[in-house]
């Protein structure tokens, strides 16, 4: 049921519904997005971040956003989202809720933790995290994705895990994967090939795709052609396409000037122009950022502008190396 609802809200012409809201930046006190010292208060206790999350969820829903994205590793994101859904039953009936398992949040609500999350795609981690997600989101969960699958992930070969995931799918929860790293295309294609009892297991793919890192594009187009829903994350490259714009080639600034749009809206619009994209996530930390992101839904770019923007692409290896060095703050 979750897959059908996601496909419906991501249909062409759906406007702001093609932009989802992800809680990675506001479900925990530290993240790797640039500009957090400006976007968030210096002190970030749980209740402050809960309130910020709810403000953003309210604004997103009011603007037409219908896909909401969390993860076990996003601190208390599932908890914040569950509270919001409980307090707003009318809105809860109209949104599609996704979460992810595979990373465990271990920073204990500290911004200066040496390690913030630990990755494991084993069966025991799935069972443990699935129980925690179920306790918070229950039957409100529509989509459960494996977090940051890479080609060497055991999730692509572990038959016991795949059987457990197929059982979850049989209960009505859509099962999907998210991908990260310079070999995203390889991971996507491997995931598309996974079957249980002759049926494809993964029905959604969530991947990093942006003007700096478009290498997964062909594989995502294949996923779309194969009937999978495609969700794009990190469309503004963790702030590199906004905060550091003066260090980018002039194309992004030029298109923003030509269209009268903000840099982030241009970056998101360029992704939305790809015919295989279903939903693009906004990772906004402020309502002003969210409004700016949502403007992308109505922004039209011509072929010349899109071609100029394509020249911003970096090598996958270079992009992911840079990303790995972004500080948690």
């Amino acid at each position: 049921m979750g897959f059908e609802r996601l496909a419906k809200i991501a249909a062409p012409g759906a406007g702001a519904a093609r932009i989802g809201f992800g809680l990675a930046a506001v479900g925990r006190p530290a993240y790797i997005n640039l500009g957090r010292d400006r976007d968030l208060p210096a002190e970030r206790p749980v209740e402050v971040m809960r309130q910020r999350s709810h403000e953003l969820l309210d604004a997103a829903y009011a603007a037409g956003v219908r896909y909401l994205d969390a993860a076990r590793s996003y601190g208390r994101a599932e908890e914040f989202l569950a509270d919001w859904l409980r307090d707003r039953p009318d809105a809860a009936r109209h949104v599609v809720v996704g979460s992810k398992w595979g990373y465990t949040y271990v920073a204990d609500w500290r911004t200066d933790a040496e390690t913030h999350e630990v990755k494991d795609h084993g069966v025991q981690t799935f069972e443990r995290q699935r129980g925690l997600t179920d306790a918070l989101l229950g039957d409100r969960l529509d989509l459960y994705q494996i977090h940051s699958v890479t080609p060497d992930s055991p999730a692509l070969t572990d038959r016991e895990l795949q059987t457990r995931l197929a059982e979850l799918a049989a209960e009505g929860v859509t099962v999907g994967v998210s991908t990260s790293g310079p070999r995203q295309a390889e991971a996507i294609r491997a995931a598309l090939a996974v079957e249980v009892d002759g049926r494809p297991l993964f029905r959604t793919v969530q991947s990093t795709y942006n003007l700096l890192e478009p290498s997964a594009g062909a594989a995502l187009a294949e996923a779309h052609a194969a009937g999978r829903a495609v969700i794009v994350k990190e469309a503004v490259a963790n702030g590199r396409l906004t905060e550091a714009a003066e260090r980018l080639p002039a194309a992004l600034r030029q298109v923003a000037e030509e269209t009268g749009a903000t840099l982030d809206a241009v970056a998101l619009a360029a992704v939305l122009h790809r015919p295989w994209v279903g939903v693009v996530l906004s990772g906004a930390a402020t309502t002003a950022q969210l409004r700016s992101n949502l403007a992308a839904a109505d922004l039209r770019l011509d072929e010349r502008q899109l071609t100029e923007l394509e020249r911003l692409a970096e090598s996958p290896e270079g992009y992911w190396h840079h990303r790995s060095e972004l500080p948690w703050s």
Side-chain angles (χ1 to χ4, degrees):
M1 188 65 182
F3 175 82
E4 285 74 17
R5 294 179 67 205
L6 181 62
K8 183 176 180 180
I9 67 171
R18 291 190 66 210
I19 299 178
F21 176 64
L23 285 90
V26 290
R28 53 194 169 188
Y31 191 45
I32 62 172
N33 283 355
L34 303 176
R36 286 176 67 80
D37 56 341
R38 182 197 64 236
D39 298 333
L40 295 168
E43 298 297 323
R44 301 166 194 169
V46 172
E47 290 310 311
V48 167
M49 298 304 284
R50 188 193 311 272
Q51 181 178 353
R52 177 65 63 91
S53 296
H54 288 185
E55 290 173 355
L56 284 158
L57 287 164
D58 282 340
Y61 182 78
V65 171
R66 293 296 179 265
Y67 176 66
L68 308 176
D69 184 87
R72 285 302 313 156
S73 64
Y74 296 170
R76 297 200 181 196
E78 286 186 338
E79 176 187 329
F80 296 166
L81 179 55
D83 292 344
W84 184 84
L85 292 166
R86 182 197 62 229
D87 294 342
R88 295 155 180 81
D90 290 341
R93 286 194 291 269
H94 299 288
V95 296
V96 176
V97 175
S99 194
K100 296 178 285 295
W101 71 274
Y103 271 103
T104 299
Y105 179 69
V106 296
D108 195 29
W109 209 257
R110 291 172 50 194
T111 58
D112 61 347
E114 183 175 342
T115 302
H116 291 264
E117 53 192 19
V118 176
K119 183 178 181 179
D120 182 82
H121 287 168
V123 172
Q124 290 185 337
T125 296
F126 166 69
E127 294 291 357
R128 174 176 58 81
Q129 294 198 315
R130 174 70 186 105
L132 294 168
T133 297
D134 185 61
L136 288 168
L137 294 172
D139 61 5
R140 289 301 301 117
L141 182 70
D142 297 297
L143 168 62
Y144 210 37
Q145 301 174 101
I146 308 175
H147 206 161
S148 293
V149 168
T150 53
D152 58 353
S153 170
L156 297 172
T157 55
D158 186 333
R159 297 307 291 175
E160 180 183 359
L161 173 62
Q162 291 168 2
T163 298
R164 302 283 183 92
L165 291 168
E167 291 169 353
L168 178 62
E171 296 172 6
V173 177
T174 297
V175 173
V177 296
S178 76
T179 66
S180 295
R183 298 167 64 196
Q184 285 191 109
E186 185 179 343
I188 293 165
R189 292 182 174 116
L192 293 178
V194 174
E195 296 185 346
V196 175
D197 295 330
R199 302 181 64 180
L201 177 60
F202 302 118
R203 301 192 70 190
T204 67
V205 178
Q206 179 173 316
S207 298
T208 295
Y209 180 88
N210 57 57
L211 293 173
L212 301 179
E213 185 6 5
S215 66
L220 291 171
E222 294 167 21
H224 172 76
R228 299 342 190 253
V230 173
I231 304 168
V232 168
K233 60 186 174 76
E234 300 182 350
V236 295
N238 301 104
R240 289 184 60 202
L241 289 170
T242 55
E243 295 293 321
E246 70 280 357
R247 292 194 288 267
L248 294 173
L252 181 61
R253 297 193 304 275
Q254 178 180 337
V255 173
E257 291 172 2
E258 290 173 353
T259 58
T262 56
L263 297 168
D264 58 289
V266 172
L268 268 70
V271 176
L272 285 167
H273 275 65
R274 303 305 175 194
W276 40 263
V277 171
V279 172
V280 177
L281 294 180
S282 163
T286 70
T287 54
Q289 282 181 352
L290 178 65
R291 288 193 298 270
S292 186
N293 288 177
L294 292 172
D298 298 317
L299 180 59
R300 306 309 303 169
L301 305 176
D302 62 34
E303 288 302 317
R304 179 192 60 79
Q305 291 167 333
L306 291 169
T307 298
E308 289 296 320
L309 292 171
E310 288 174 358
R311 296 175 181 170
L312 299 182
E314 301 175 349
S315 72
E317 293 75 16
Y319 176 88
W320 288 98
H321 176 74
H322 189 135
R323 187 186 184 281
S324 71
E325 295 188 328
L326 293 175
W328 290 75
S329 62

